[in-house]
């Protein structure tokens, strides 16, 4: 069929397409782009050919029976929104509009609203499911910024009006399958700061109420957001902790950055600073699975990009090294939940932190690559146990060049931009080779295309790269 089989005989859109497929695309992008351009695109073509059911809205597919598994309308809408938000957004964030995943994402969202049935005073919406509508609120500001088409912003406002304008809206579920609307409303609010000032002003008090109530009735004694909103003020230490706490705080960050305030800075940084407490060592985030730990660390890394709390970096390093990456069992990766795709995702986000978004192409076993801040640039270390010849590729401001955002707004399903270069000939960078005691001036385009690298076995390369 050309489809992935990580969850049995059925290709599903809420699991396989949304959770597994995109992060193996990430793995291909960072380690083997030939797979990206062949196997991964072939899978995209296959799922559209085999699974599209109502225009471009897909249903599940039985790979053994070779036929679609037709579902009811609401289930189809749920799967489509899951695929577009959890599956296609992460791909588009690192590949932009030049790859076909963008058109797939756009087509699904267009048809979700084409077939919207739920009447509201603000216009038709596609679902009463808060998770579906939260996912769409994360999609629509992106599509508006990428295309400039006002319909996407109008649809987003239709959803935001539905939830916010009635007053005193706070989602009862603060973890996965409910928390998506918090980050979605936050991203829309940030985009509205410039694109729709009247909505921005109207939403502001409602956003504050939602965030303040989450802090008041949805945190434990360490300030970390719990799984569900409680009826009384906290702290709440005897309730279930879940893995979506960092995702929720992303919405808080959008609010502050859009307004240029620090209203929630102390609350977020306090929660982050408490992660090194003994209670969070191998902590049971919901079910204790690697999937849940990976989600928790992912959220912490998004926050760390904005608020660099030392304890959170140390905590993330520890969780990656002691829980998520385990080399003691060579067979562990096979036969587990969704091929541990969410772990793949979080490990790659963490990797980009420690390489400052630089990528060695081609990748090979035994190659070491790391980078760290150095003044207004970075210092890079490379070493290989066998001869290596390739390129060192530098990241670009994807938020602006791919996503069309005026600012690098906090958002889920995106790899933070720890260090980027402007990919043109006019922007110049100094590249100093420490061992050769030499220095060159190189354009940002050349760095984004890939700096040629040649290394002898065991002989390290150390570079300092700074804007000229």
């Amino acid at each position: 069929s050309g489809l992935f089989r990580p969850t049995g005989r059925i290709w599903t859109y809420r699991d396989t397409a949304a959770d597994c497929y995109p992060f193996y695309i990430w793995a291909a992008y960072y380690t083997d782009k030939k797979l990206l351009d062949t196997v991964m695109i072939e899978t995209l073509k296959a799922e559209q050919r085999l699974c599209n059911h109502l225009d471009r809205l897909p249903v599940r597919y039985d790979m053994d029976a070779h036929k679609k598994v037709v579902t009811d309308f609401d289930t189809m809408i749920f799967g489509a929104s899951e695929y577009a938000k959890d599956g296609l957004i992460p791909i588009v964030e690192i590949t932009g509009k030049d790859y076909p995943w963008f058109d797939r994402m756009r087509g699904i969202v267009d048809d979700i609203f084409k077939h919207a049935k739920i009447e509201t005073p603000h216009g038709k919406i596609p679902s009463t499911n808060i998770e579906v509508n939260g996912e769409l609120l994360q999609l629509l500001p992106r599509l508006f910024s990428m295309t400039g088409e006002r319909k996407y912003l109008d649809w987003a406002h239709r959803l935001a009006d539905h939830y916010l304008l009635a007053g005193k809206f706070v989602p009862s579920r603060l973890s996965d399958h409910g928390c998506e609307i918090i980050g979605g409303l936050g991203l829309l609010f940030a985009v509205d700061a410039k694109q729709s000032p009247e909505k921005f002003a109207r939403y502001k008090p409602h956003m504050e109420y939602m965030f303040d109530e989450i802090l008041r009735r949805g945190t434990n004694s360490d300030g970390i957001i719990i799984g569900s909103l409680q009826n009384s003020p906290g702290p709440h230490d005897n309730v279930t902790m879940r893995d979506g706490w960092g995702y929720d705080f992303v919405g808080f960050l959008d609010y502050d950055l859009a307004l240029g305030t620090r209203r929630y800075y102390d609350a977020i940084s306090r929660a982050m600073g408490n992660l090194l407490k003994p209670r969070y060592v191998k902590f049971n985030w919901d079910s204790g699975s690697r999937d849940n730990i990976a989600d928790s660390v992912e959220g912490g890394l998004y926050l760390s990009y904005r608020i660099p709390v030392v304890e959170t970096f140390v905590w993330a390093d520890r969780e990656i090294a002691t829980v998520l990456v385990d080399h003691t069992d060579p067979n562990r990766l096979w036969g587990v939940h969704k091929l541990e795709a969410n772990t793949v995702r979080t490990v790659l986000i963490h990797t980009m932190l420690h390489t400052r978004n630089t990528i060695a192409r081609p990748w090979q076993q035994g190659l070491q690559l790391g980078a760290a801040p150095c003044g207004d640039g970075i210092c890079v270390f490379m070493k290989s146990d066998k001869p290596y010849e390739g390129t060192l590729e530098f990241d670009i401001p994807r938020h602006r060049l791919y996503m069309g955002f005026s600012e690098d707004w906090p958002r889920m399903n995106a790899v933070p931009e720890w260090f980027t270069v402007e990919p043109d000939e006019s922007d110049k960078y100094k590249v100093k080779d420490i061992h050769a005691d030499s220095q060159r001036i190189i354009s940002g385009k050349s760095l984004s295309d890939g700096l040629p690298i040649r290394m002898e076995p065991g002989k390290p390369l150390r570079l300092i790269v700074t804007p000229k």
Side-chain angles (χ1 to χ4, degrees), residues 1-13 15-28 35-36 38-44 46-47 50-51 61-64 101 338-339 341:
S1 68
L3 302 177
F4 278 47
R5 298 182 67 111
T7 49
R9 63 187 284 178
I10 306 298
W11 166 274
T12 69
Y13 280 90
D15 289 319
T16 317
D19 295 336
C20 178
Y21 176 55
F23 302 118
Y24 278 87
I25 287 178
W26 275 22
L35 283 178
L36 182 78
T38 54
V39 172
M40 299 304 177
I41 288 179
E42 289 161 9
T43 298
L44 176 68
E47 63 91 3
L50 298 172
C51 305
Y61 188 81
D62 187 323
M63 290 175 276
D64 289 349
W101 292 287
K338 301 179 191 176
L339 296 181

Side-chain angles (χ1 to χ4, degrees), residues 198-216:
E198 70 285 353
K199 291 289 188 183
F200 181 76
R202 196 172 184 190
Y203 293 156
K204 181 176 179 291
H206 299 291
M207 299 289 287
E208 290 175 0
Y209 179 84
M210 177 179 70
F211 293 142
D212 291 348
E213 284 299 296
I214 291 172
L215 292 179
R216 192 172 76 93

Side-chain angles (χ1 to χ4, degrees), residues 170-388:
V170 189
S172 60
R173 188 179 177 101
L174 304 177
S175 60
D176 194 18
H177 309 303
C179 73
E180 293 80 6
I181 197 166
I182 299 170
L185 288 170
L187 183 58
L188 175 62
F189 185 74
V191 171
D192 276 344
K194 289 186 177 179
Q195 299 297 333
S196 188
E198 70 285 353
K199 291 289 188 183
F200 181 76
R202 196 172 184 190
Y203 293 156
K204 181 176 179 291
H206 299 291
M207 299 289 287
E208 290 175 0
Y209 179 84
M210 177 179 70
F211 293 142
D212 291 348
E213 284 299 296
I214 291 172
L215 292 179
R216 192 172 76 93
R217 295 191 282 142
T219 57
N220 69 2
S221 58
D222 293 323
I224 297 174
I225 295 174
I226 57 178
S228 58
L229 196 72
Q230 304 298 299
N231 292 326
S232 59
H236 297 284
D237 285 316
N238 296 316
V239 296
T240 302
M241 293 288 293
R242 297 190 185 275
D243 53 14
W245 67 275
Y247 302 156
D248 293 344
F249 275 136
V250 167
F252 289 62
L253 283 177
D254 276 315
Y255 172 94
D256 269 346
L257 285 174
L259 286 164
T261 62
R262 290 167 64 95
R263 181 185 179 99
Y264 298 110
Y265 181 92
D266 289 343
I268 300 171
S269 57
R270 175 174 173 263
M272 296 171 69
N274 283 326
L275 288 168
L276 274 186
K277 285 188 173 182
R279 69 185 292 190
Y280 300 112
V281 175
K282 296 187 177 180
F283 186 69
N284 183 358
W285 298 100
D286 191 3
S287 68
S289 72
R290 287 186 178 88
D291 182 276
N292 298 113
I293 295 167
D295 287 354
S296 183
V297 174
E298 179 196 15
L301 290 171
Y302 290 148
L303 302 179
S304 298
Y305 178 55
R306 311 292 172 171
I307 304 178
V309 176
V310 171
E311 288 86 349
T312 308
F313 288 113
V314 176
W315 166 78
D317 285 351
R318 184 193 71 200
E319 295 298 290
I320 293 285
T322 62
V323 182
L324 296 186
V325 178
D326 176 9
H327 297 290
T328 61
D329 180 0
N331 299 313
R332 182 183 66 81
L333 286 176
W334 302 109
V336 294
H337 183 57
K338 301 179 191 176
L339 296 181
E340 294 202 15
N342 285 343
T343 296
V344 170
R345 172 207 64 207
T346 299
V347 167
L348 286 169
I349 292 174
H350 182 254
T351 297
M352 290 302 106
L353 159 65
H354 288 295
T355 67
R356 297 282 137 170
N357 299 95
T358 58
I359 308 168
R361 301 197 188 280
W363 184 257
Q364 67 183 35
Q365 293 294 330
L367 178 64
Q368 300 176 42
L369 168 61
C374 182
D376 57 353
I378 58 171
C379 50
V380 180
F381 172 90
M382 295 185 72
K383 188 178 180 180
S384 178
D385 59 6
K386 53 189 174 186
Y388 179 79

Side-chain angles (χ1 to χ4, degrees), residues 23 41 46 49 63 76 78 92 96 107 110 124 130 143 148 150-151 200 222 257 351 357 372-373 393 397 431 468:
F23 302 118
I41 288 179
R49 182 179 68 253
M63 290 175 276
M76 179 177 62
F78 183 87
V92 171
D110 283 350
K124 287 185 179 181
I130 196 171
L143 281 169
R150 190 76 188 186
K151 68 179 182 181
F200 181 76
D222 293 323
L257 285 174
T351 297
N357 299 95
E393 186 177 299
V431 179
K468 183 176 182 299

Side-chain angles (χ1 to χ4, degrees), residues 88-108:
L88 295 170
I89 279 179
I91 304 167
V92 171
E93 282 272 356
I94 64 170
T95 60
K97 292 193 289 187
D98 291 341
Y99 279 87
W101 292 287
F102 169 76
D103 288 332
R104 181 60 166 149
M105 181 177 79
R106 184 181 187 176
I108 286 175

